[in-house]
Amino acid sequence: MRMEITNVSEYEKIAKQKLPKMIYDYFASGAEDQWTLRENRSAFSRILFRPRILVDVSNIDMTTTILGFKISMPIMIAPTAMQKMAHPEGELATARAASAANTIMVYKDRNVVRQLVGRAEKAGFKAIVLTVDTPRLGRREADIKNRFTLPPSLTLKNFEELNIEKMDMTNDSGLASYVGSQVDRSLSWKDVKWLQTITSLPIILKGVMTAEDTRLAVQAGVAGIVVSNHGARQLDYVPATITCLEEVVKAAQGKVPVFLDGGIRRGTDIFKALALGASGVFIGRPVVFALAADGEAGVRKVLQMLSDELELTMALSGCTSIEQITRNHVVTESDSNRNLSKM
């Protein structure tokens, strides 16, 4: 008898059973000691609610506007590479389940970037997400142990017919070798400006975690910021993204929208992020695991479960619209520390 899925985390257990160990580990693991991987989740548990009562919540509106586009809920799909390792239909299944996000990395060969940006524009993408936290690939020890490389049936489709190196299957992790050969370690703010000269699409920076970089991003004219630690796959012992969120939101001063990526598994997590100033959240691993477990139907169910949980959290907190979710609806560790210092 098929098990009834009641929350998004249950898809990971199914995916672990279905996927080859090398592929599951690639999607699931983090960098080095994986402290940040665990912290991305556990930090949410230290944020508590301050619900309001006796509010008419018979009608709840979860619609919101992102970069001028109205969407049904503040839940979006994070840029996640190589989804065909999870399911034969890969990104196509995910795109059918929701409007897929698009990501791009700036490669040594700027001509490659020009071609990728051109393809994105022609395909009708509405924004470019520039991942900025990978000047080098984090040390993912599971990939090293598994000598990770792409399954022979799969290719990096975006790079077909481009003159780039193939993934090395002999050296530690093939992915580390490939990225090491292609990513420009000299990437800097001037390259953000350069990217703006070759596209009219809004550029969102993914991988911002500090107030200092937020201010620089605003000065650079980006359209939005994603607070992200790359799913805890880059630098271990950075804080959970939910812990960094409020610092970034305050530094942005409302000039650009701030989004959260990392650790989202519940509608309660989404509510907490919105209360701390996020304009929306991105989900990554839950989508990939649901895709592995049940294809497009799995991704649809993940989005529906998170939507249902967010709606319930809003109702039980006394909020009938996204705009009504405020900082007063949550209490964090920093609030507790401030209260103690006043005593």
Side-chain angles (χ1 to χ4, degrees):
M1 189 175 74
R2 190 168 182 173
M3 181 181 74
E4 174 66 23
I5 301 292
T6 57
N7 63 74
V8 304
S9 295
E10 290 176 350
Y11 277 116
E12 181 171 358
K13 299 168 190 171
I14 299 171
K16 187 173 184 178
Q17 293 170 348
K18 292 186 73 168
L19 292 174
K21 184 177 186 300
M22 179 185 77
I23 292 174
Y24 170 78
D25 285 351
Y26 169 77
F27 287 131
S29 65
E32 297 186 349
D33 297 329
Q34 303 190 106
W35 181 88
T36 299
L37 184 70
R38 295 185 293 274
E39 181 68 2
N40 266 0
R41 282 296 307 129
S42 60
F44 280 104
S45 69
R46 300 193 295 273
I47 301 170
L48 304 179
F49 292 124
R50 300 181 68 248
R52 301 300 303 274
I53 60 170
L54 295 176
V55 177
D56 180 355
V57 292
S58 53
N59 290 297
I60 292 181
D61 180 11
M62 293 195 298
T63 60
T64 190
T65 301
I66 304 295
L67 298 178
F69 295 92
K70 190 172 183 180
I71 57 177
S72 62
M73 57 186 176
I75 307 167
M76 295 161 285
I77 293 176
T80 310
M82 299 185 282
Q83 293 182 26
K84 277 199 171 185
M85 293 197 306
H87 188 274
E89 293 186 340
E91 287 83 354
L92 294 177
T94 301
R96 286 194 297 264
S99 296
N102 186 34
T103 188
I104 191 170
M105 294 194 300
V106 176
Y107 287 75
K108 288 180 180 176
D109 184 351
R110 291 296 189 264
N111 187 46
V112 171
V113 180
R114 287 182 190 276
Q115 291 179 64
L116 292 176
V117 169
R119 287 182 192 175
E121 290 175 338
K122 287 177 182 175
F125 285 102
K126 304 303 183 188
I128 287 175
V129 179
L130 176 64
T131 300
V132 293
D133 57 2
T134 51
R136 293 179 63 178
L137 201 68
R139 185 175 173 84
R140 304 165 192 176
E141 294 178 1
D143 288 348
I144 295 171
K145 283 186 168 67
N146 293 329
R147 301 181 76 83
F148 174 85
T149 189
L150 275 180
S153 60
L154 298 184
T155 59
L156 296 172
K157 193 72 177 177
N158 274 342
F159 304 113
E160 281 186 359
E161 302 174 9
L162 299 178
N163 183 25
I164 62 173
E165 298 170 36
K166 291 186 177 179
M167 201 178 279
D168 180 7
M169 298 186 184
T170 61
N171 179 23
D172 286 349
S173 160
L175 182 68
S177 302
Y178 169 79
V179 173
S181 71
Q182 291 302 321
V183 172
D184 188 348
R185 297 184 186 183
S186 69
L187 182 69
S188 67
W189 290 102
K190 72 180 188 305
D191 297 294
V192 176
K193 287 293 188 184
W194 173 80
L195 188 57
Q196 289 169 333
T197 68
I198 67 167
T199 181
S200 58
L201 293 177
I203 296 168
I204 300 170
L205 289 197
K206 178 176 174 285
V208 178
M209 297 189 70
T210 65
E212 297 92 326
D213 285 335
T214 301
R215 286 189 284 268
L216 289 172
V218 171
Q219 288 170 19
V222 303
I225 288 170
V226 182
V227 179
S228 172
N229 54 32
H230 213 97
R233 294 156 67 79
Q234 283 299 99
L235 179 62
D236 202 13
Y237 295 99
V238 296
T241 50
I242 191 67
T243 306
C244 303
L245 175 61
E246 203 163 18
E247 174 184 336
V248 171
V249 168
K250 286 178 180 176
Q253 296 182 321
K255 294 174 182 175
V256 297
V258 176
F259 307 99
L260 182 84
D261 169 272
I264 299 285
R265 297 294 184 275
R266 287 282 189 183
T268 50
D269 300 334
I270 298 166
F271 186 99
K272 291 171 184 179
L274 297 174
L276 292 175
S279 295
V281 302
F282 287 94
I283 55 171
R285 284 187 178 97
V287 166
V288 172
F289 293 140
L291 185 65
D294 200 18
E296 180 186 341
V299 180
R300 287 182 184 273
K301 182 152 187 180
V302 158
L303 293 171
Q304 188 61 54
M305 284 191 292
L306 289 174
S307 174
D308 290 346
E309 289 178 9
L310 174 59
E311 184 180 36
L312 179 60
T313 306
M314 290 173 65
L316 295 177
S317 297
C319 299
T320 60
S321 68
I322 299 300
E323 293 73 26
Q324 289 182 4
I325 302 172
T326 70
R327 183 63 174 81
N328 290 329
H329 286 98
V330 294
V331 57
T332 66
E333 288 179 299
S334 61
D335 296 331
S336 302
N337 293 337
R338 277 198 293 269
N339 290 337
L340 285 172
S341 66
K342 291 176 184 176
M343 294 175 67

